[in-house]
Short mmCIF file of all heavy atoms in Angstrom, two decimals:
data_model
loop_
_atom_site.label_atom_id
_atom_site.label_comp_id
_atom_site.label_asym_id
_atom_site.label_seq_id
_atom_site.Cartn_x
_atom_site.Cartn_y
_atom_site.Cartn_z
N SER J 7 3.97 6.06 -5.17
CA SER J 7 4.00 6.25 -6.62
C SER J 7 2.94 7.26 -7.03
O SER J 7 3.14 8.06 -7.93
CB SER J 7 3.81 4.93 -7.34
OG SER J 7 2.49 4.49 -7.18
N ALA J 8 1.79 7.24 -6.35
CA ALA J 8 0.75 8.23 -6.66
C ALA J 8 1.28 9.62 -6.38
O ALA J 8 1.09 10.54 -7.19
CB ALA J 8 -0.49 7.96 -5.82
N ALA J 9 1.97 9.75 -5.26
CA ALA J 9 2.50 11.05 -4.90
C ALA J 9 3.56 11.51 -5.89
O ALA J 9 3.57 12.67 -6.32
CB ALA J 9 3.08 11.00 -3.49
N SER J 10 4.42 10.58 -6.27
CA SER J 10 5.49 10.99 -7.18
C SER J 10 4.92 11.30 -8.56
O SER J 10 5.40 12.19 -9.25
CB SER J 10 6.56 9.90 -7.26
OG SER J 10 6.03 8.74 -7.82
N ARG J 11 3.86 10.55 -8.89
CA ARG J 11 3.17 10.84 -10.15
C ARG J 11 2.69 12.28 -10.13
O ARG J 11 2.87 13.05 -11.06
CB ARG J 11 1.97 9.91 -10.30
CG ARG J 11 2.10 8.95 -11.45
CD ARG J 11 0.83 8.27 -11.87
NE ARG J 11 -0.28 8.16 -10.96
CZ ARG J 11 -0.55 7.12 -10.18
NH1 ARG J 11 0.28 6.10 -10.14
NH2 ARG J 11 -1.62 7.10 -9.44
N LEU J 12 2.08 12.59 -9.02
CA LEU J 12 1.52 13.92 -8.85
C LEU J 12 2.64 14.95 -8.93
O LEU J 12 2.53 15.95 -9.65
CB LEU J 12 0.82 14.01 -7.50
CG LEU J 12 0.17 15.36 -7.22
CD1 LEU J 12 -1.12 15.46 -8.00
CD2 LEU J 12 -0.09 15.53 -5.74
N ALA J 13 3.72 14.70 -8.21
CA ALA J 13 4.83 15.64 -8.16
C ALA J 13 5.37 15.88 -9.57
O ALA J 13 5.65 17.02 -9.95
CB ALA J 13 5.93 15.11 -7.25
N ARG J 14 5.48 14.79 -10.31
CA ARG J 14 5.99 14.92 -11.67
C ARG J 14 5.07 15.81 -12.50
O ARG J 14 5.51 16.65 -13.25
CB ARG J 14 6.09 13.55 -12.31
CG ARG J 14 7.48 12.98 -12.35
CD ARG J 14 7.65 11.97 -13.46
NE ARG J 14 6.58 10.99 -13.51
CZ ARG J 14 6.49 9.96 -12.67
NH1 ARG J 14 7.38 9.78 -11.71
NH2 ARG J 14 5.50 9.10 -12.79
N ARG J 15 3.76 15.54 -12.34
CA ARG J 15 2.81 16.26 -13.17
C ARG J 15 2.83 17.76 -12.86
O ARG J 15 2.69 18.60 -13.71
CB ARG J 15 1.40 15.68 -12.97
CG ARG J 15 0.87 15.06 -14.25
CD ARG J 15 -0.52 14.55 -14.05
NE ARG J 15 -0.54 13.32 -13.27
CZ ARG J 15 -1.56 12.96 -12.50
NH1 ARG J 15 -2.63 13.71 -12.41
NH2 ARG J 15 -1.50 11.84 -11.83
N ILE J 16 2.96 18.06 -11.59
CA ILE J 16 2.93 19.47 -11.20
C ILE J 16 4.21 20.17 -11.65
O ILE J 16 4.18 21.30 -12.12
CB ILE J 16 2.77 19.59 -9.66
CG1 ILE J 16 1.41 19.02 -9.27
CG2 ILE J 16 2.87 21.03 -9.23
CD1 ILE J 16 1.25 18.84 -7.79
N GLY J 17 5.31 19.45 -11.54
CA GLY J 17 6.57 19.99 -12.02
C GLY J 17 7.15 21.02 -11.07
O GLY J 17 6.55 21.36 -10.05
N ASP J 18 8.31 21.52 -11.43
CA ASP J 18 9.01 22.41 -10.52
C ASP J 18 8.41 23.81 -10.49
O ASP J 18 8.45 24.50 -9.49
CB ASP J 18 10.50 22.50 -10.91
CG ASP J 18 11.16 21.16 -10.70
OD1 ASP J 18 10.66 20.41 -9.84
OD2 ASP J 18 12.14 20.86 -11.40
N ARG J 19 7.89 24.21 -11.62
CA ARG J 19 7.39 25.59 -11.68
C ARG J 19 6.12 25.74 -10.86
O ARG J 19 5.69 26.83 -10.59
CB ARG J 19 7.12 25.98 -13.13
CG ARG J 19 8.37 26.06 -14.00
CD ARG J 19 8.03 26.58 -15.37
NE ARG J 19 6.91 25.84 -15.98
CZ ARG J 19 7.07 24.72 -16.65
NH1 ARG J 19 8.27 24.22 -16.82
NH2 ARG J 19 6.04 24.09 -17.17
N GLY J 20 5.50 24.61 -10.56
CA GLY J 20 4.31 24.66 -9.72
C GLY J 20 3.12 25.32 -10.35
O GLY J 20 2.64 26.35 -9.86
N PRO J 21 2.62 24.76 -11.48
CA PRO J 21 1.40 25.33 -12.05
C PRO J 21 0.23 25.07 -11.11
O PRO J 21 0.27 24.19 -10.27
CB PRO J 21 1.22 24.56 -13.35
CG PRO J 21 1.94 23.28 -13.14
CD PRO J 21 3.07 23.56 -12.20
N VAL J 22 -0.80 25.86 -11.26
CA VAL J 22 -1.95 25.76 -10.36
C VAL J 22 -2.97 24.78 -10.92
O VAL J 22 -3.25 24.79 -12.12
CB VAL J 22 -2.58 27.15 -10.18
CG1 VAL J 22 -3.89 27.05 -9.41
CG2 VAL J 22 -1.61 28.06 -9.47
N ARG J 23 -3.50 23.89 -10.06
CA ARG J 23 -4.55 22.96 -10.48
C ARG J 23 -5.83 23.24 -9.72
O ARG J 23 -5.80 23.67 -8.57
CB ARG J 23 -4.10 21.51 -10.24
CG ARG J 23 -2.97 21.11 -11.16
CD ARG J 23 -2.90 19.62 -11.31
NE ARG J 23 -2.49 18.98 -10.08
CZ ARG J 23 -2.62 17.65 -9.87
NH1 ARG J 23 -3.19 16.90 -10.80
NH2 ARG J 23 -2.22 17.11 -8.76
N GLU J 24 -6.96 22.92 -10.38
CA GLU J 24 -8.24 23.18 -9.74
C GLU J 24 -8.84 21.89 -9.21
O GLU J 24 -8.87 20.88 -9.90
CB GLU J 24 -9.20 23.83 -10.73
CG GLU J 24 -8.79 25.24 -11.11
CD GLU J 24 -9.77 25.86 -12.07
OE1 GLU J 24 -10.20 25.18 -13.01
OE2 GLU J 24 -10.12 27.04 -11.87
N PHE J 25 -9.30 21.96 -7.95
CA PHE J 25 -9.96 20.80 -7.34
C PHE J 25 -11.37 21.19 -6.89
O PHE J 25 -11.60 22.31 -6.45
CB PHE J 25 -9.16 20.30 -6.13
CG PHE J 25 -7.87 19.64 -6.51
CD1 PHE J 25 -6.71 20.39 -6.72
CD2 PHE J 25 -7.81 18.26 -6.67
CE1 PHE J 25 -5.53 19.78 -7.09
CE2 PHE J 25 -6.62 17.64 -7.02
CZ PHE J 25 -5.48 18.40 -7.25
N LEU J 26 -12.30 20.22 -7.07
CA LEU J 26 -13.64 20.45 -6.55
C LEU J 26 -13.67 19.94 -5.11
O LEU J 26 -13.32 18.78 -4.85
CB LEU J 26 -14.68 19.70 -7.41
CG LEU J 26 -16.13 19.89 -7.00
CD1 LEU J 26 -16.58 21.33 -7.25
CD2 LEU J 26 -17.04 18.94 -7.77
N MET J 27 -14.06 20.82 -4.21
CA MET J 27 -14.03 20.48 -2.79
C MET J 27 -15.41 20.02 -2.34
O MET J 27 -16.41 20.64 -2.67
CB MET J 27 -13.59 21.71 -2.00
CG MET J 27 -13.24 21.45 -0.59
SD MET J 27 -12.17 22.78 0.01
CE MET J 27 -13.33 23.81 0.85
N PHE J 28 -15.44 18.91 -1.60
CA PHE J 28 -16.72 18.45 -1.06
C PHE J 28 -16.49 17.86 0.33
O PHE J 28 -15.36 17.55 0.71
CB PHE J 28 -17.38 17.42 -1.99
CG PHE J 28 -16.54 16.22 -2.28
CD1 PHE J 28 -16.55 15.11 -1.45
CD2 PHE J 28 -15.71 16.19 -3.40
CE1 PHE J 28 -15.77 13.99 -1.72
CE2 PHE J 28 -14.93 15.08 -3.68
CZ PHE J 28 -14.96 13.99 -2.84
N SER J 29 -17.60 17.69 1.05
CA SER J 29 -17.45 17.15 2.40
C SER J 29 -18.06 15.77 2.48
O SER J 29 -18.99 15.43 1.74
CB SER J 29 -18.11 18.08 3.43
OG SER J 29 -19.51 18.02 3.27
N LEU J 30 -17.49 15.00 3.38
CA LEU J 30 -17.91 13.62 3.55
C LEU J 30 -17.63 13.25 5.00
O LEU J 30 -16.48 13.31 5.43
CB LEU J 30 -17.09 12.75 2.60
CG LEU J 30 -17.66 11.44 2.07
CD1 LEU J 30 -18.95 11.68 1.32
CD2 LEU J 30 -16.64 10.79 1.15
N ALA J 31 -18.67 12.95 5.74
CA ALA J 31 -18.52 12.56 7.15
C ALA J 31 -17.66 13.56 7.93
O ALA J 31 -16.78 13.18 8.68
CB ALA J 31 -17.94 11.15 7.27
N GLY J 32 -17.88 14.84 7.64
CA GLY J 32 -17.21 15.88 8.40
C GLY J 32 -15.83 16.27 7.89
O GLY J 32 -15.29 17.29 8.28
N ASP J 33 -15.26 15.48 6.99
CA ASP J 33 -13.94 15.83 6.46
C ASP J 33 -14.09 16.48 5.09
O ASP J 33 -15.10 16.30 4.41
CB ASP J 33 -13.07 14.59 6.32
CG ASP J 33 -12.55 14.12 7.68
OD1 ASP J 33 -12.24 15.00 8.51
OD2 ASP J 33 -12.49 12.90 7.89
N LEU J 34 -13.02 17.19 4.67
CA LEU J 34 -13.04 17.82 3.34
C LEU J 34 -12.20 17.00 2.36
O LEU J 34 -11.11 16.55 2.70
CB LEU J 34 -12.48 19.24 3.44
CG LEU J 34 -13.40 20.27 4.09
CD1 LEU J 34 -12.72 21.62 4.16
CD2 LEU J 34 -14.73 20.37 3.33
N TYR J 35 -12.75 16.83 1.18
CA TYR J 35 -12.06 16.07 0.14
C TYR J 35 -12.02 16.89 -1.13
O TYR J 35 -12.77 17.87 -1.29
CB TYR J 35 -12.79 14.75 -0.15
CG TYR J 35 -12.74 13.76 0.98
CD1 TYR J 35 -13.63 13.84 2.04
CD2 TYR J 35 -11.79 12.74 0.97
CE1 TYR J 35 -13.59 12.94 3.08
CE2 TYR J 35 -11.75 11.82 2.01
CZ TYR J 35 -12.64 11.92 3.06
OH TYR J 35 -12.59 11.02 4.07
N GLY J 36 -11.15 16.49 -2.05
CA GLY J 36 -11.11 17.17 -3.35
C GLY J 36 -10.85 16.17 -4.47
O GLY J 36 -10.16 15.17 -4.28
N VAL J 37 -11.48 16.42 -5.63
CA VAL J 37 -11.11 15.67 -6.84
C VAL J 37 -10.79 16.69 -7.92
O VAL J 37 -11.34 17.80 -7.92
CB VAL J 37 -12.24 14.75 -7.35
CG1 VAL J 37 -12.38 13.51 -6.50
CG2 VAL J 37 -13.54 15.48 -7.48
N GLU J 38 -9.93 16.31 -8.79
CA GLU J 38 -9.51 17.23 -9.83
C GLU J 38 -10.73 17.64 -10.68
O GLU J 38 -11.51 16.79 -11.11
CB GLU J 38 -8.44 16.60 -10.71
CG GLU J 38 -7.46 17.61 -11.18
CD GLU J 38 -6.21 16.97 -11.78
OE1 GLU J 38 -5.98 15.77 -11.54
OE2 GLU J 38 -5.50 17.68 -12.49
N LEU J 39 -10.87 18.92 -10.89
CA LEU J 39 -12.08 19.45 -11.52
C LEU J 39 -12.27 18.92 -12.94
O LEU J 39 -13.39 18.66 -13.38
CB LEU J 39 -12.03 20.99 -11.53
CG LEU J 39 -13.33 21.68 -11.94
CD1 LEU J 39 -14.42 21.39 -10.92
CD2 LEU J 39 -13.12 23.19 -12.05
N THR J 40 -11.16 18.72 -13.65
CA THR J 40 -11.27 18.29 -15.05
C THR J 40 -11.91 16.90 -15.16
O THR J 40 -12.40 16.54 -16.22
CB THR J 40 -9.88 18.22 -15.71
OG1 THR J 40 -9.04 17.43 -14.86
CG2 THR J 40 -9.29 19.60 -15.87
N ARG J 41 -11.90 16.16 -14.07
CA ARG J 41 -12.45 14.81 -14.13
C ARG J 41 -13.96 14.79 -13.91
O ARG J 41 -14.61 13.77 -14.08
CB ARG J 41 -11.79 13.91 -13.10
CG ARG J 41 -10.33 13.65 -13.40
CD ARG J 41 -9.83 12.48 -12.61
NE ARG J 41 -8.47 12.14 -12.98
CZ ARG J 41 -8.16 11.28 -13.94
NH1 ARG J 41 -9.13 10.69 -14.62
NH2 ARG J 41 -6.91 11.00 -14.23
N ILE J 42 -14.52 15.90 -13.46
CA ILE J 42 -15.95 15.95 -13.14
C ILE J 42 -16.70 16.68 -14.26
O ILE J 42 -16.35 17.79 -14.64
CB ILE J 42 -16.18 16.68 -11.80
CG1 ILE J 42 -15.40 15.97 -10.68
CG2 ILE J 42 -17.67 16.73 -11.47
CD1 ILE J 42 -15.78 14.51 -10.49
N LYS J 43 -17.72 16.00 -14.80
CA LYS J 43 -18.45 16.59 -15.91
C LYS J 43 -19.65 17.41 -15.42
O LYS J 43 -20.08 18.35 -16.07
CB LYS J 43 -18.99 15.48 -16.84
CG LYS J 43 -17.92 14.57 -17.37
CD LYS J 43 -17.43 15.08 -18.72
CE LYS J 43 -16.21 14.28 -19.18
NZ LYS J 43 -14.95 14.88 -18.66
N GLU J 44 -20.20 17.01 -14.30
CA GLU J 44 -21.48 17.56 -13.91
C GLU J 44 -21.71 17.29 -12.43
O GLU J 44 -21.21 16.31 -11.88
CB GLU J 44 -22.57 16.84 -14.72
CG GLU J 44 -23.76 17.69 -15.09
CD GLU J 44 -24.70 16.93 -16.03
OE1 GLU J 44 -24.21 16.18 -16.88
OE2 GLU J 44 -25.91 17.10 -15.85
N ILE J 45 -22.47 18.19 -11.77
CA ILE J 45 -22.87 17.94 -10.38
C ILE J 45 -24.39 17.79 -10.37
O ILE J 45 -25.10 18.64 -10.91
CB ILE J 45 -22.45 19.10 -9.45
CG1 ILE J 45 -20.92 19.27 -9.52
CG2 ILE J 45 -22.91 18.86 -8.02
CD1 ILE J 45 -20.43 20.52 -8.84
N LEU J 46 -24.89 16.69 -9.81
CA LEU J 46 -26.32 16.39 -9.90
C LEU J 46 -26.95 16.22 -8.53
O LEU J 46 -26.31 15.72 -7.61
CB LEU J 46 -26.55 15.06 -10.64
CG LEU J 46 -25.91 14.85 -11.99
CD1 LEU J 46 -25.87 13.36 -12.29
CD2 LEU J 46 -26.71 15.59 -13.05
N SER J 47 -28.22 16.62 -8.44
CA SER J 47 -29.00 16.17 -7.28
C SER J 47 -29.29 14.70 -7.52
O SER J 47 -29.65 14.33 -8.63
CB SER J 47 -30.31 16.93 -7.21
OG SER J 47 -30.07 18.24 -6.77
N PRO J 48 -29.16 13.87 -6.51
CA PRO J 48 -29.30 12.43 -6.76
C PRO J 48 -30.68 12.07 -7.31
O PRO J 48 -31.69 12.37 -6.68
CB PRO J 48 -29.12 11.80 -5.37
CG PRO J 48 -28.41 12.84 -4.58
CD PRO J 48 -28.84 14.16 -5.12
N PRO J 49 -30.71 11.44 -8.51
CA PRO J 49 -31.97 10.89 -9.02
C PRO J 49 -32.25 9.59 -8.26
O PRO J 49 -31.41 9.17 -7.47
CB PRO J 49 -31.65 10.61 -10.49
CG PRO J 49 -30.19 10.43 -10.56
CD PRO J 49 -29.59 11.19 -9.41
N PRO J 50 -33.42 8.98 -8.44
CA PRO J 50 -33.64 7.70 -7.78
C PRO J 50 -32.55 6.70 -8.17
O PRO J 50 -32.23 6.59 -9.35
CB PRO J 50 -34.99 7.23 -8.33
CG PRO J 50 -35.63 8.44 -8.93
CD PRO J 50 -34.54 9.37 -9.30
N ILE J 51 -31.99 6.04 -7.17
CA ILE J 51 -30.91 5.10 -7.45
C ILE J 51 -31.42 3.67 -7.27
O ILE J 51 -32.08 3.36 -6.29
CB ILE J 51 -29.71 5.34 -6.50
CG1 ILE J 51 -29.14 6.75 -6.75
CG2 ILE J 51 -28.63 4.28 -6.70
CD1 ILE J 51 -28.12 7.18 -5.75
N THR J 52 -31.16 2.83 -8.25
CA THR J 52 -31.58 1.44 -8.17
C THR J 52 -30.44 0.59 -7.63
O THR J 52 -29.35 0.58 -8.21
CB THR J 52 -31.99 0.92 -9.57
OG1 THR J 52 -33.07 1.72 -10.04
CG2 THR J 52 -32.42 -0.53 -9.51
N MET J 53 -30.67 -0.07 -6.52
CA MET J 53 -29.63 -0.93 -5.95
C MET J 53 -29.36 -2.10 -6.89
O MET J 53 -30.29 -2.64 -7.47
CB MET J 53 -30.09 -1.50 -4.60
CG MET J 53 -30.63 -0.47 -3.63
SD MET J 53 -29.36 0.69 -3.15
CE MET J 53 -30.35 2.06 -2.55
N VAL J 54 -28.10 -2.48 -6.98
CA VAL J 54 -27.77 -3.66 -7.78
C VAL J 54 -27.34 -4.77 -6.82
O VAL J 54 -26.28 -4.65 -6.19
CB VAL J 54 -26.65 -3.36 -8.79
CG1 VAL J 54 -26.29 -4.61 -9.57
CG2 VAL J 54 -27.07 -2.25 -9.74
N PRO J 55 -28.15 -5.82 -6.69
CA PRO J 55 -27.75 -6.92 -5.82
C PRO J 55 -26.45 -7.53 -6.34
O PRO J 55 -26.20 -7.51 -7.54
CB PRO J 55 -28.89 -7.94 -5.97
CG PRO J 55 -30.01 -7.20 -6.60
CD PRO J 55 -29.42 -6.08 -7.37
N ARG J 56 -25.67 -8.06 -5.47
CA ARG J 56 -24.42 -8.75 -5.80
C ARG J 56 -23.33 -7.82 -6.33
O ARG J 56 -22.30 -8.28 -6.82
CB ARG J 56 -24.65 -9.84 -6.86
CG ARG J 56 -25.69 -10.86 -6.46
CD ARG J 56 -26.00 -11.71 -7.64
NE ARG J 56 -26.47 -13.02 -7.21
CZ ARG J 56 -26.61 -14.04 -8.02
NH1 ARG J 56 -26.32 -13.93 -9.28
NH2 ARG J 56 -27.03 -15.19 -7.58
N ALA J 57 -23.57 -6.51 -6.28
CA ALA J 57 -22.57 -5.58 -6.80
C ALA J 57 -21.41 -5.49 -5.82
O ALA J 57 -21.55 -5.84 -4.65
CB ALA J 57 -23.21 -4.21 -6.99
N PRO J 58 -20.24 -5.04 -6.29
CA PRO J 58 -19.14 -4.80 -5.36
C PRO J 58 -19.59 -3.85 -4.25
O PRO J 58 -20.47 -3.01 -4.46
CB PRO J 58 -18.07 -4.13 -6.24
CG PRO J 58 -18.42 -4.50 -7.63
CD PRO J 58 -19.88 -4.73 -7.68
N ARG J 59 -18.96 -3.96 -3.09
CA ARG J 59 -19.43 -3.24 -1.91
C ARG J 59 -19.54 -1.73 -2.11
O ARG J 59 -20.46 -1.08 -1.62
CB ARG J 59 -18.49 -3.53 -0.74
CG ARG J 59 -19.16 -3.60 0.61
CD ARG J 59 -18.12 -3.75 1.71
NE ARG J 59 -17.50 -2.46 2.03
CZ ARG J 59 -18.00 -1.63 2.93
NH1 ARG J 59 -19.10 -1.93 3.58
NH2 ARG J 59 -17.41 -0.48 3.19
N ASN J 60 -18.59 -1.14 -2.84
CA ASN J 60 -18.59 0.31 -2.94
C ASN J 60 -19.60 0.85 -3.95
O ASN J 60 -19.80 2.04 -4.07
CB ASN J 60 -17.18 0.81 -3.27
CG ASN J 60 -16.74 0.38 -4.65
OD1 ASN J 60 -17.12 -0.69 -5.11
ND2 ASN J 60 -15.96 1.21 -5.32
N VAL J 61 -20.22 -0.05 -4.71
CA VAL J 61 -21.21 0.41 -5.70
C VAL J 61 -22.60 0.36 -5.07
O VAL J 61 -23.04 -0.69 -4.60
CB VAL J 61 -21.20 -0.47 -6.97
CG1 VAL J 61 -22.31 -0.05 -7.92
CG2 VAL J 61 -19.85 -0.38 -7.65
N ILE J 62 -23.28 1.50 -5.01
CA ILE J 62 -24.63 1.51 -4.46
C ILE J 62 -25.61 0.95 -5.47
O ILE J 62 -26.51 0.19 -5.14
CB ILE J 62 -25.12 2.93 -4.15
CG1 ILE J 62 -24.16 3.64 -3.24
CG2 ILE J 62 -26.51 2.89 -3.53
CD1 ILE J 62 -24.67 5.00 -2.88
N GLY J 63 -25.45 1.38 -6.70
CA GLY J 63 -26.41 0.94 -7.70
C GLY J 63 -26.26 1.75 -8.97
O GLY J 63 -25.17 2.27 -9.25
N VAL J 64 -27.36 1.84 -9.72
CA VAL J 64 -27.31 2.57 -10.99
C VAL J 64 -28.43 3.60 -11.01
O VAL J 64 -29.44 3.45 -10.34
CB VAL J 64 -27.47 1.61 -12.19
CG1 VAL J 64 -26.22 0.77 -12.37
CG2 VAL J 64 -28.69 0.72 -12.06
N CYS J 65 -28.20 4.66 -11.79
CA CYS J 65 -29.28 5.62 -12.01
C CYS J 65 -29.19 6.09 -13.46
O CYS J 65 -28.23 5.78 -14.16
CB CYS J 65 -29.17 6.79 -11.05
SG CYS J 65 -27.75 7.85 -11.35
N SER J 66 -30.20 6.79 -13.89
CA SER J 66 -30.23 7.25 -15.27
C SER J 66 -30.17 8.77 -15.30
O SER J 66 -30.92 9.43 -14.61
CB SER J 66 -31.51 6.75 -15.94
OG SER J 66 -31.67 7.41 -17.17
N VAL J 67 -29.22 9.29 -16.06
CA VAL J 67 -29.15 10.73 -16.23
C VAL J 67 -29.41 11.04 -17.70
O VAL J 67 -28.56 10.77 -18.55
CB VAL J 67 -27.75 11.26 -15.82
CG1 VAL J 67 -27.68 12.76 -16.03
CG2 VAL J 67 -27.45 10.90 -14.38
N ARG J 68 -30.58 11.52 -17.99
CA ARG J 68 -31.00 11.81 -19.37
C ARG J 68 -30.66 10.65 -20.32
O ARG J 68 -30.04 10.83 -21.35
CB ARG J 68 -30.37 13.10 -19.86
CG ARG J 68 -30.87 14.35 -19.12
CD ARG J 68 -30.26 15.60 -19.71
NE ARG J 68 -28.82 15.54 -19.67
CZ ARG J 68 -28.08 15.89 -18.62
NH1 ARG J 68 -28.67 16.31 -17.52
NH2 ARG J 68 -26.78 15.81 -18.66
N GLY J 69 -31.01 9.45 -19.91
CA GLY J 69 -30.83 8.29 -20.80
C GLY J 69 -29.47 7.61 -20.64
O GLY J 69 -29.26 6.54 -21.18
N LEU J 70 -28.56 8.26 -19.92
CA LEU J 70 -27.24 7.66 -19.71
C LEU J 70 -27.26 6.83 -18.43
O LEU J 70 -27.70 7.31 -17.38
CB LEU J 70 -26.21 8.78 -19.60
CG LEU J 70 -24.76 8.39 -19.38
CD1 LEU J 70 -24.18 7.82 -20.68
CD2 LEU J 70 -23.95 9.58 -18.94
N LEU J 71 -26.82 5.59 -18.52
CA LEU J 71 -26.81 4.73 -17.34
C LEU J 71 -25.53 4.99 -16.53
O LEU J 71 -24.43 4.86 -17.06
CB LEU J 71 -26.89 3.26 -17.76
CG LEU J 71 -27.18 2.26 -16.64
CD1 LEU J 71 -28.58 2.48 -16.09
CD2 LEU J 71 -27.03 0.84 -17.15
N VAL J 72 -25.71 5.38 -15.27
CA VAL J 72 -24.57 5.79 -14.45
C VAL J 72 -24.40 4.81 -13.29
O VAL J 72 -25.36 4.46 -12.61
CB VAL J 72 -24.79 7.22 -13.89
CG1 VAL J 72 -23.63 7.63 -13.00
CG2 VAL J 72 -24.98 8.21 -15.02
N THR J 73 -23.18 4.35 -13.09
CA THR J 73 -22.87 3.51 -11.94
C THR J 73 -22.57 4.42 -10.75
O THR J 73 -21.67 5.27 -10.84
CB THR J 73 -21.63 2.63 -12.23
OG1 THR J 73 -21.86 1.92 -13.44
CG2 THR J 73 -21.39 1.65 -11.09
N VAL J 74 -23.32 4.29 -9.68
CA VAL J 74 -23.14 5.20 -8.55
C VAL J 74 -22.27 4.55 -7.48
O VAL J 74 -22.56 3.46 -7.00
CB VAL J 74 -24.50 5.60 -7.94
CG1 VAL J 74 -24.29 6.63 -6.84
CG2 VAL J 74 -25.42 6.15 -9.02
N ILE J 75 -21.20 5.25 -7.15
CA ILE J 75 -20.26 4.76 -6.13
C ILE J 75 -20.45 5.55 -4.85
O ILE J 75 -20.51 6.78 -4.88
CB ILE J 75 -18.81 4.89 -6.65
CG1 ILE J 75 -18.59 3.89 -7.78
CG2 ILE J 75 -17.80 4.69 -5.52
CD1 ILE J 75 -17.23 3.93 -8.38
#
Side-chain angles (χ1 to χ4, degrees):
Chain J
S7 70
S10 64
R11 246 195 339 265
L12 181 77
R14 258 204 313 283
R15 244 182 286 152
I16 296 169
D18 294 333
R19 294 185 309 274
V22 172
R23 292 202 291 166
E24 291 181 317
F25 289 86
L26 182 68
M27 192 158 98
F28 57 87
S29 70
L30 207 59
D33 285 323
L34 286 178
Y35 292 82
V37 285
E38 214 167 343
L39 190 64
T40 51
R41 293 196 175 269
I42 303 301
K43 303 267 172 272
E44 214 173 323
I45 301 170
L46 308 161
S47 286
I51 297 171
T52 300
M53 310 296 160
V54 178
R56 304 170 154 191
R59 214 186 80 88
N60 66 327
V61 175
I62 305 183
V64 288
C65 68
S66 168
V67 179
R68 293 183 303 275
L70 180 74
L71 193 66
V72 178
T73 307
V74 185
I75 291 179

